[in-house]
Amino acid sequence: MPDGSGLPEKSVKTACPYCGVGCGVRMAMQSDMSWKANGDENHPSNFGRLCSKGSALGETLDLKGRLLDPVLDGKNVEWPVALDAAADRLSAIRKEHGPDAIAVYLSGQLLTEDYYVANKFMKGFVGSANVDTNSRLCMSSSVAGHKKAFGADTVPGAYEDLDRADLVILTGSNAAWCHPVLFQRIQKARAERGMRLVVIDPRETETSKEADLHLPIAPGKDTLLFSALLKALSQSGALDQQYVETHTLGYATALARAVELAPSMDRVCEETRLRLPDVKTFIRWFIETEKVVTCYSQGVNQSAQGTDKVNAILNCHLATNRIGREGMGPFSLTGQPNAMGGREVGGLANQLAAHMEFQPESVDRVRRFWNAPHIATTPGLKAIDLFDAIDRGEIKALWVMGTNPAVSLPDADRVRRAMKKLELLIVSENMASTDSMDNAHIRLPAAAWGEKAGTVTNSERRISRQRSFLSLPGRVKPDWWAVSQVAQRMGYAEAFSYASPAEIFREHAELSGFENAGSRDFDISAYASCSDQAYEALDPFQWPAPGGLIRTHGECSTQTHRFFAEGKFYTPSGKANFIAPARPELSVDLSVTYPLLLNTGRIRDQWHTMTRSGKSPRLGRHKEEPFLDINTADARKFHLTQGELATVESPHGQAVLRVNLTDAQTPGDVFAPIHWTGQNASAGRIGALLASHVDPFSGQPEAKAAPVSVKPFQAAFYGFVMSTASLDMTNCAYWAKVQLQDTIGYRFALTSYNGKGANKWMSDLLGVSGTELIQSTDKSNGVFRAAHLIDDRLQAVAYLSPQNDLPSWSWLETLFAKDKLEVLDRRYILAGRSIDGAQDPGPTVCACYGVGRNTLIDAICKKGLITTQALGEQLKAGTNCGSCLPELRSLIGGHDKTAKAKAS
Ligand code: SF4
């Protein structure tokens, strides 16, 4: 913590702002005053490990592109002016149209304290439950599945179970890329104890390549596979008849449905596209292994039948009493750093607060606790319905905090259009420009990671402190403060007089224990009276922590807590419910017009819409452009070639993506990552391609199965520019940008020079006169190369070609670091090759040491380095965070002759 001198101390313990693993981070100040991220060795979620994203956190702290002042109707203003306007306009809309004309859209990136205040403001005082969150898109099907089966949104187990299990099943999870530290924990247990790993995923991923068994299931068919498993369990000794009879309800109905869905193994294999021996092995392993953990993630949740998929998994664990016991249980891996914290405060529209819903007694309890005059009494609109209501003009005011719905929601173009209809759009944001801010009337500069303080909860119910180690820049303020100020101005000064996040946390903890007495799972009332100092020193702890257990604040609770070991659930009967799922169907069928099924997901080195991870040059080099993974046979059919651009179309929108041929993709299925926005690519918003089909129970939209068409993108010229200044690329038919070491790199394509020659077009783009460029045109192939220098220092390099054959730009990067460009350097820039003939290292595989794919292939093929250890010793690859180890192994497997011979 700051010591009052205005300078941070040397080292601050905090939590990673990215995924739901929730790693502890130690930020250490370096002698040059920069910050370096190290894993916190004492944090029970990661024990000192960080992945590539976490390791690069120190590179993402600059203020480039930040929103530093409140903005009202396009003008920078002081906070009181912006807050008065927000309060006056919200009050006027409520008066004229009622409370349900107001909505708030939150984020799993927010801290629990921010979430708590926003939820209390809306549900308790504005009087509307139209509070939803981007976690709706992430794991609301898990929430719905948990509630149906357990009577509460309870994740029963802990990460420790992954250390103790003998079989781990990852379904709908590319954990090697999306939860890397947890995946390394699984890998460690496999290496030490011979634990087996099964991966259920339609794609071959870096996770599935590591598995003992990969089941490349047809999209949407998970329920069928788990129904076949339940049926097999019923006929095997693994079924715990006594547990089922004593502690559950609905088994017979669920089993009857499973038999109906999976009448024979042949039928199951036909529908799931799986091989019979593989299905039999999966079932046999499950039956014969007592300690089984089934982890599921977005591949299960982001589905129009996500809740049924979750319940099909839970059914199998309930049938075998493999729940709440050491080394076994179903385990929902949350995507965002604080998806769980959002659920705890009631950040979903169908929850009230502290794991209470809208039953009259809960509403009354929360009303009394908050002393809330206008408490909402019925659930509000879930995300998709909420934005539909905006489109219809029913919701007039929206406050967006820490998220980017114009990119991340399905049918994103329609969402963007709908947001333009709002009478009042307030956006609380770190960044000055996002796709969702285009039409914001009020922009509030929000504190970013490193500046804000509070708590987050990870996938295993562990609450950790995020601590500030940077001072608030400009006029930036925490979100809880901004909401409290608006609430005070609307007449609720007493209820929103918070002076610190500690005060909010105490209230949140107190509410969790209020009239609880064991009736609700979420209870952290042991911390209801923790002092500011204790809050500051708070060590990570797992909930529940009920008041009777009063803990010594500041001490780390290392005790692992599991739910349901005693077979007591939160349903009215106290028993768990088996759920009979519906027949698995995709929400939309393929057609002649849209013959391919688009799957979407994350990549290893980027996070959501890249506002933070996109700042790191080493993370950007892993995947530099938005891309489409497509099977070679499909590419041939649709006339696509490796490295070309493709137009991807759905009934809802269009994207232009770089083609990546891969037999990891099953014919008929394609994959595209979700990270690119209108800020970093011309047409990379994958949300624009998705329909807003939702799960009937959770309201979570389908993001894994969208029918699309693909065709070659017609371009006349291809180019790249590396520039020290940001460029306006709107005249390019296609462009994508990436942060490089000293420059911003743009790849682009043109349909014409707009009647200009290459020199004029390029000088216009760079904002210089044609004579300021040194340039050359190769007459044999029409390639144009140019550079712009100021006082012999390189400012920009640009290449343009009529063919899609541009060289790597990596060797050019070093030239930007030179104070003075030599004559020879200039000559080689214009010749298009490096002075020393340096090999193009290719896309980065090891982000920590910047080791590229080509370098690694060379080392494997020419130097015979065919183990990860040998690659590590020679090139350092994989020796820091280890996130790239699966890719190193698959490169070795794909390129080492011995490994290939073995495989064949
Ligand atoms: Fe952060 Fe990586 Fe840990 Fe996730 S696994 S919390 S991204 S360091």
Side-chain angles (χ1 to χ4, degrees), residues 128-297:
S128 169
N130 287 338
V131 181
D132 216 43
T133 157
N134 63 9
S135 295
R136 178 71 59 194
L137 318 179
C138 178
M139 41 85 263
S140 55
S141 294
S142 283
V143 176
H146 290 158
K147 285 193 201 166
K148 286 176 103 182
F150 309 146
D153 174 21
T154 316
V155 175
Y159 293 162
E160 202 181 280
D161 294 320
L162 297 168
D163 307 332
R164 307 278 162 84
D166 294 313
L167 172 65
V168 167
I169 299 161
L170 289 171
T171 178
S173 161
N174 183 9
W177 277 17
C178 303
H179 297 95
V181 166
L182 212 55
F183 187 67
Q184 288 176 36
R185 194 159 171 170
I186 293 170
Q187 292 291 69
K188 186 165 175 270
R190 289 178 73 206
E192 288 174 0
R193 303 179 35 253
M195 171 218 283
R196 282 176 176 149
L197 176 66
V198 175
V199 173
I200 303 169
D201 194 316
R203 294 193 300 143
E204 183 181 88
T205 63
E206 296 306 329
T207 310
S208 73
K209 284 181 202 165
E210 301 278 302
D212 298 295
L213 177 65
H214 173 208
L215 297 172
I217 196 164
K221 299 295 181 185
D222 314 56
T223 300
L224 212 53
L225 181 64
F226 282 92
S227 294
L229 177 59
L230 184 64
K231 184 180 156 190
L233 290 171
S234 74
Q235 298 156 353
S236 82
L239 183 80
D240 190 330
Q241 195 74 43
Q242 196 189 351
Y243 179 86
V244 168
E245 280 170 16
T246 316
H247 298 296
T248 72
L249 294 174
Y251 171 69
T253 313
L255 178 62
R257 178 62 53 80
V259 172
E260 189 189 320
L261 295 179
S264 70
M265 288 292 247
D266 287 343
R267 181 77 179 278
V268 169
C269 292
E270 191 185 317
E271 286 197 45
T272 57
R273 284 193 322 214
L274 296 173
R275 294 173 59 241
L276 182 61
D278 291 345
V279 175
K280 282 185 170 171
T281 303
F282 167 64
I283 289 175
R284 181 165 55 79
W285 285 359
F286 196 102
I287 287 173
E288 70 188 22
T289 316
E290 188 185 24
K291 292 194 170 182
V292 183
V293 177
T294 307
C295 301
Y296 47 95
S297 194

Side-chain angles (χ1 to χ4, degrees), residues 15-25 46 49-55 57 177-182 335 337 604 607 883:
C16 177
Y18 295 127
C19 83
V21 178
C23 294
V25 179
N46 59 315
R49 278 203 172 278
L50 292 179
C51 74
S52 49
K53 290 186 287 288
S55 301
L57 275 166
W177 277 17
C178 303
H179 297 95
V181 166
L182 212 55
R604 191 192 73 188
W607 179 255
S883 304

